[in-house]
Amino acid sequence: MSPEELASLKEVAAVCGVAKRTAARYTDRDDFPAPIGTLGVGRVWRRRDVERWAKKTLPLQTGRP
């Protein structure tokens, strides 16, 4: 797997268009893809899995109906 196919928290934030703190909350969600491993930068995900999740899930619905 090439480095371009991986996403650290920084890349997750970029893909989702949010701050790293918000991306960290996303990665803790039950419906977020599981990390495929841990490197020196922390957990890493398959970029395509993150992109698929973001396309399906974002924007999140907030507030009350």
Side-chain angles (χ1 to χ4, degrees):
M1 185 169 290
S2 72
E4 294 82 26
E5 296 176 272
L6 299 176
S8 67
L9 187 59
K10 180 179 177 181
E11 284 83 24
V12 170
V15 167
C16 296
V18 297
K20 280 177 63 175
R21 174 176 262 177
T22 300
R25 286 196 303 264
Y26 287 175
T27 63
D28 289 336
R29 290 173 51 104
D30 290 338
D31 63 343
F32 196 82
I36 60 167
T38 303
L39 299 175
V41 296
R43 297 179 294 171
V44 291
W45 295 263
R46 283 185 185 90
R47 186 177 186 92
R48 70 174 181 259
D49 293 344
V50 173
E51 290 169 343
R52 192 175 302 129
W53 178 86
K55 184 175 181 181
K56 182 180 85 171
T57 308
L58 298 179
L60 295 176
Q61 299 298 319
T62 58
R64 294 185 214 177

